[in-house]
Amino acid sequence: IEGIIDIAAGTNHLLFLKQDGTVWGVGLNTNGQLGDYSTSNKLTPVQTADIKDIIQIEAGNAHSVALKSDGTVYAWGYNGYGNLGDATTTRRTYPVEVRYLSGVKDIAAGHHSSMAVDMDGKVYAWGYNGYGNLGDGTKTTRLTISETQGLPPISEVDLGVNFSAAVSENGEVYT
């Protein structure tokens, strides 16, 4: 495929963001992480269904997350820990909007969790939280967004397997 402006690598799947704002994926799809309404693995790229105007993509272990130009966030794939932020643990083979979240400027996808930063620099997280990796002061897994506590305004976030990191607007790193 041509016109690629961003890529994201999950555990066994790869996402491509094209200049036209569409998302394409290839690889393992047993949890619907390619977002094409199927669970069939793909050896050639397929377009993720029902979303456009995407400006950022992230790939987790078996789920995917996308940020639209209007500041809304969509997710699809494995959802056993609420990775998709749709208040369920139901696997989705197509993009669903993350509930209660808008005005987002950055996203991240980890092993079984996801994060977003809004325009005010507030960080929101959802999914697996067994190690306190969502930063909300608990170890409670979240099916919808939870605000991360104790951070100054943040510009960027990233996730690992069971931890998270953030860069503040003045360049400090928090984990």
Side-chain angles (χ1 to χ4, degrees), residues 97-155:
E97 188 171 355
V98 176
R99 288 183 170 198
Y100 317 116
L101 190 61
S102 62
V104 172
K105 67 179 180 180
D106 187 54
I107 57 172
H111 189 66
H112 290 304
S113 56
S114 305
M115 292 187 113
V117 181
D118 73 9
M119 293 299 182
D120 295 326
K122 292 180 183 175
V123 176
Y124 298 91
W126 56 97
Y128 182 73
N129 195 26
Y131 294 91
N133 38 301
L134 301 185
D136 65 358
T138 75
K139 291 184 179 179
T140 304
T141 293
R142 304 290 181 178
L143 304 184
T144 59
I145 64 170
S146 175
E147 187 175 349
T148 299
Q149 302 298 309
L151 293 174
I154 297 297
S155 61

Side-chain angles (χ1 to χ4, degrees), residues 27-40:
L28 193 70
N29 194 34
T30 54
N31 286 289
Q33 58 264 50
L34 301 182
D36 68 341
Y37 283 96
S38 82
T39 56
S40 300

